[in-house]
Amino acid sequence: MDIGITTFAGSYGMTPHELAHAIEERGFESLFFPEHSHIPVHSRRNDGGSTRDYAETFDPFVALSAGAAVTRTLKLGTGVCLLTQRDPIVTAKEVACLDQLSGGRFLFGVGAGWNRMELANHGTDPRTRMALLAERVMAMRRIWTDDEAEFHGKYVDFEPIWSWPKPHQRPHPPVLVGGNGPGAEDRVLAFGDGWLPQCDGLADAGELSERAAALRRRATDAGRGTIPITVFNTPPDDRLLATLADAGIDRCLLLLPAGTESQMLARLDEWAPLASKWRQST
């Protein structure tokens, strides 16, 4: 089982290239950046708290490109790219370029978004965001794999286009579908290559173990290969990590709080033995 890092740090934390270098140097497998294009001032979290901190996040493709330039083996992911707020043709180009420039190290985590006001500012109807996400991913797959790509759906529609470069990974970088809701596994099987649930959105590790096993049974029945599972925001608890490893989880992402450089490096030093232990034990 691999251990990676995710962080909402933006202008108030370490720079992306400094952080990526430090993470690779300490033996972590991956770095994932989340995405918020902006945060509406009047939006609130589910618990009523402020969403102000989310407004500080870097654009994930810019941040990951900076990280790719100073690393050699570190995998680079979006956790998650809010594709319901993006043009699929432009985003397909960004994914392909980042995957090419990183030598095939990109992991494309996608999600439909939870901030309804943010979605609305992009012209997206929150009620149809799941169907929109599905079509945009499927359209991007066409762009990555077809020399003359076209797509005709309800929400995405374009005649044949040329778009290069194609991704370094073939047929394309893995699409990790985010979400914990009851339909998450359906979406993984419909248009994804892996599942990216949030640890704090599940009742306990037992629920995740059961859902992971059920997803893999469904994949086998559908003639699919193994479905990798990456768990976002996993607490750095050795007993919990052991439970997740036993459940066959492929990757856990520890959430690194923003802070000063010394604070963030100290936390990475504290967690580095976990990355080494679980990489060696699996």
Side-chain angles (χ1 to χ4, degrees), residues 8 35-57 80 82-85 111-127 129-130 198:
F8 283 88
E35 176 174 45
H36 283 284
S37 62
H38 70 288
I39 289 294
V41 171
H42 299 296
S43 64
R44 289 292 180 269
R45 305 179 197 224
N46 290 336
D47 62 5
S50 173
T51 54
R52 171 66 176 79
D53 290 350
Y54 293 128
E56 297 280 352
T57 55
V80 293
L82 298 178
L83 192 52
T84 50
Q85 299 178 182
W114 58 269
N115 191 315
R116 291 174 177 265
M117 295 176 71
E118 183 181 1
L119 286 158
N121 284 347
H122 285 278
T124 296
D125 183 345
R127 296 169 298 180
R129 68 190 188 280
M130 296 301 179
Q198 289 206 48

Side-chain angles (χ1 to χ4, degrees), residues 11 21 39 42 62 65 79-80 95 124 130 133 152 162 176 182 189 227 245 247 250 253-254 262 267 281:
S11 57
H21 181 267
I39 289 294
H42 299 296
V62 175
S65 294
V80 293
V95 169
T124 296
M130 296 301 179
L133 174 65
H152 304 287
W162 290 321
L176 312 183
L189 293 171
I227 300 290
D250 300 274
L253 302 178
L254 311 183
S262 61
R267 190 66 59 90
S281 62

Side-chain angles (χ1 to χ4, degrees), residues 7-282:
T7 181
F8 283 88
S11 57
Y12 51 80
M14 295 176 67
T15 64
H17 64 277
E18 291 171 335
L19 183 59
H21 181 267
I23 287 171
E24 182 177 73
E25 189 176 50
R26 286 159 177 78
F28 293 97
E29 179 255 0
S30 54
L31 169 61
F32 281 66
F33 274 109
E35 176 174 45
H36 283 284
S37 62
H38 70 288
I39 289 294
V41 171
H42 299 296
S43 64
R44 289 292 180 269
R45 305 179 197 224
N46 290 336
D47 62 5
S50 173
T51 54
R52 171 66 176 79
D53 290 350
Y54 293 128
E56 297 280 352
T57 55
F58 284 109
D59 175 275
F61 291 98
V62 175
L64 292 170
S65 294
V70 297
T71 56
R72 297 183 62 188
T73 61
L74 188 71
K75 293 185 178 179
L76 307 154
T78 48
V80 293
C81 173
L82 298 178
L83 192 52
T84 50
Q85 299 178 182
R86 285 178 157 268
D87 179 277
I89 298 174
V90 173
T91 308
K93 170 83 78 169
E94 291 185 315
V95 169
C97 290
L98 178 52
D99 195 54
Q100 274 285 349
L101 294 173
S102 68
R105 291 186 279 143
F106 183 60
L107 304 166
F108 190 38
V110 301
W114 58 269
N115 191 315
R116 291 174 177 265
M117 295 176 71
E118 183 181 1
L119 286 158
N121 284 347
H122 285 278
T124 296
D125 183 345
R127 296 169 298 180
T128 59
R129 68 190 188 280
M130 296 301 179
L132 177 63
L133 174 65
E135 281 200 8
R136 286 186 174 171
V137 170
M138 291 187 284
M140 290 171 68
R141 286 180 181 272
R142 296 276 183 87
I143 296 171
W144 293 328
T145 56
D146 294 351
D147 285 343
E148 295 186 356
E150 65 179 299
F151 189 88
H152 304 287
K154 181 176 180 180
Y155 302 101
V156 182
D157 186 24
F158 54 85
E159 296 295 333
I161 64 172
W162 290 321
S163 180
W164 284 282
K166 301 302 184 185
H168 183 277
Q169 298 178 78
R170 296 303 175 91
H172 51 72
V175 177
L176 312 183
V177 180
N180 292 26
E185 293 92 328
D186 293 338
R187 291 188 286 276
V188 172
L189 293 171
F191 59 84
D193 303 297
W195 185 27
L196 182 58
Q198 289 206 48
C199 194
D200 58 354
L202 298 160
D204 52 38
E207 178 193 350
L208 178 57
S209 299
E210 292 174 4
R211 291 179 67 173
L215 174 60
R216 285 170 170 151
R217 285 195 298 271
R218 290 179 62 188
T220 298
D221 292 343
R224 295 279 301 272
T226 301
I227 300 290
I229 299 175
T230 297
V231 181
F232 183 91
N233 195 12
T234 308
D237 179 84
D238 202 46
R239 293 179 62 184
L240 174 61
L241 292 172
T243 300
L244 297 178
D246 288 342
I249 301 305
D250 300 274
R251 177 186 298 108
C252 289
L253 302 178
L254 311 183
L255 180 60
L256 179 65
T260 64
E261 179 178 1
S262 61
Q263 289 171 332
M264 297 178 78
L265 292 178
R267 190 66 59 90
L268 291 174
D269 288 337
E270 177 187 347
W271 293 346
L274 294 175
S276 176
K277 174 180 177 178
W278 291 106
R279 182 176 63 251
Q280 293 173 3
S281 62
T282 54

